[in-house]
């Protein structure tokens, strides 16, 4: 286990020794599942860099600007609905809606497919949870969700090849760098990654940060004194505090030493970001929620290296937009205790009651 900030960074920055291509989960999954479910997360250089370069080429400045406008407008509509409802499940009413809408709107996925896609994305990270499994075996749930997402993604890509539109999926099927285009399998796998990572991490950071702002009223007051000036630092603390991705696994490619421990080729190393983000040698009073924390070298978007989250700018847009709306338009929002999902990969909240006076 790599539990310290330093060791997580070391593992992250040495992909030639600590490989992602043999699996990123704490469970031993088949090679087919790893390749189909992980996209870039389950690749090493040089393939990882090639994939990332092609995918990044689809995120033009014009597209990013449009994404920001869409996020701000949708955040306002979400809080409109919250103020009408007055009470319910915060996850359902607020935190799951913005990331789900953003990802599928960016991609251009048809409205009638969005709920089904989001459901399968949730299943893909919650197959160890008895409530979600609802009597199904874990591997049955995992395989079913994965096949469904891949099918939706590849059929969607086929429609955009035949009939291009002004959306991210069209950009992905047309993207070409140094003569390389994405294959159908790569697009399907990236669709799975976007559906899961684009939904789950921002959703859970929103939920847990909303509870933190309630539990630490002094920090909330500080933020409201100068929202525009402090929200950037607050978002970094939201991510550190939540650590939405709890772990990633690597496989050792050669005999080596990590943190004074001998490792053999084929051994597994699991990076625990929840631990690295509470490392007392890096963070002063790490169990304090502090929106003014500076510096804040959290590892919520990864420990550096080639796998640093390429969508972090979208996550930050979403968090800024939704908390701008919540804090200014629903100042009397109260939330209850979160009900956490059982799992080792994502720190996920299934539900959290809320009321707005």
């Amino acid at each position: 286990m790599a539990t310290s900030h330093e060791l997580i960074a070391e593992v992250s920055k040495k992909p030639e020794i600590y490989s992602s291509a043999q699996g990123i989960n704490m469970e031993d999954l088949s090679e087919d599942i790893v390749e189909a479910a992980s996209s870039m997360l389950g690749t090493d250089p040089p393939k990882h860099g090639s994939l990332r370069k092609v995918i990044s080429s689809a995120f033009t400045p014009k597209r990013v600007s449009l994404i920001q406008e869409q996020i701000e407008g949708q955040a306002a509509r979400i809080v409109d609905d919250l103020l009408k409802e007055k009470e319910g499940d915060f996850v359902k009413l607020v935190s799951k809606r913005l990331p789900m809408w953003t990802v599928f709107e960016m991609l251009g996925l048809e409205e009638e497919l969005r709920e089904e896609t989001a459901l399968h994305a949730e299943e893909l990270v919650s197959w160890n949870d008895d409530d979600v499994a609802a009597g199904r075996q874990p591997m049955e749930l995992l395989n079913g969700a994965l096949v469904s997402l891949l099918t939706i993604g590849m059929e969607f890509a086929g429609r955009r090849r035949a009939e291009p539109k002004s959306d991210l999926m069209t950009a992905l099927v047309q993207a070409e760098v140094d003569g390389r285009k994405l294959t159908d399998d790569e697009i399907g796998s990236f669709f799975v990654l976007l559906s899961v990572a684009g939904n789950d991490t921002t959703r859970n950071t929103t939920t847990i940060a909303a509870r933190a702002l309630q539990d630490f009223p002094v920090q909330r007051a500080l933020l409201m004194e100068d929202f525009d000036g402090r929200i950037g630092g607050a978002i970094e603390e939201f991510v550190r505090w939540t650590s939405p991705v709890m772990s990633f696994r690597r496989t050792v490619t050669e005999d080596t030493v990590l943190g004074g421990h001998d490792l053999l080729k084929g051994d597994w190393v699991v990076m625990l970001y929840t631990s690295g983000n509470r490392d007392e040698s890096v963070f002063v009073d790490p169990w304090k929620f502090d929106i003014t924390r500076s510096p804040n070298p959290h590892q919520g978007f990864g420990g550096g290296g080639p796998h640093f989250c390429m969508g972090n700018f979208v996550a930050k847009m979403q968090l800024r937009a939704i908390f701008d709306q919540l804090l200014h338009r629903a100042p009397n929002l109260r939330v209850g205790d979160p009900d956490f999902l059982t799992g080792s990969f994502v720190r996920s909240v299934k539900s959290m009651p809320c009321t707005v006076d």
Side-chain angles (χ1 to χ4, degrees), residues 268-280:
W268 288 4
V269 175
V270 175
M271 297 176 288
L272 294 181
Y273 301 109
T274 46
S275 176
N277 283 337
R278 297 292 194 279
D279 190 334
E280 292 89 347

Side-chain angles (χ1 to χ4, degrees), residues 101-116:
W101 186 91
T102 301
V103 169
F104 297 147
E105 189 71 14
M106 259 194 329
L107 284 165
L109 184 66
E110 294 88 345
E111 290 275 354
E112 62 270 21
L113 294 174
R114 294 184 181 187
E115 284 294 335
E116 178 189 357

Side-chain angles (χ1 to χ4, degrees), residues 186-293:
E186 288 169 343
I187 290 175
S189 183
F190 186 63
F191 179 81
V192 173
L193 175 61
L194 267 184
S195 299
V196 175
N199 272 306
D200 228 49
T201 51
T202 309
R203 157 186 163 175
N204 291 300
T205 300
T206 301
T207 305
I208 295 170
R211 177 59 190 249
L213 287 169
Q214 177 175 294
D215 291 343
F216 296 87
V218 173
Q219 295 299 310
R220 177 192 171 105
L222 274 174
L223 179 55
M224 295 309 293
E225 284 176 7
D226 182 11
F227 182 87
D228 290 336
R230 291 179 177 149
I231 186 59
I235 287 171
E236 301 299 334
E237 184 68 350
F238 293 170
V239 177
R240 183 196 75 88
W241 186 256
T242 303
S243 297
V245 176
M246 296 190 292
S247 67
F248 267 125
R249 188 194 107 207
R250 300 288 185 263
T251 302
V252 179
T253 62
E254 62 185 55
D255 295 354
T256 189
V257 177
L258 179 66
H261 296 280
D262 292 329
L263 298 176
L264 302 178
K265 181 179 179 179
D267 285 347
W268 288 4
V269 175
V270 175
M271 297 176 288
L272 294 181
Y273 301 109
T274 46
S275 176
N277 283 337
R278 297 292 194 279
D279 190 334
E280 292 89 347
S281 69
V282 176
F283 301 100
V284 177
D285 199 1
W287 292 98
K288 178 184 177 183
F289 177 73
D290 181 4
I291 66 163
T292 66
R293 187 181 298 280

Side-chain angles (χ1 to χ4, degrees), residues 115-126:
E115 284 294 335
E116 178 189 357
T117 304
L119 173 63
H120 294 315
E122 288 184 28
E123 291 175 336
L124 204 58
V125 296
S126 56

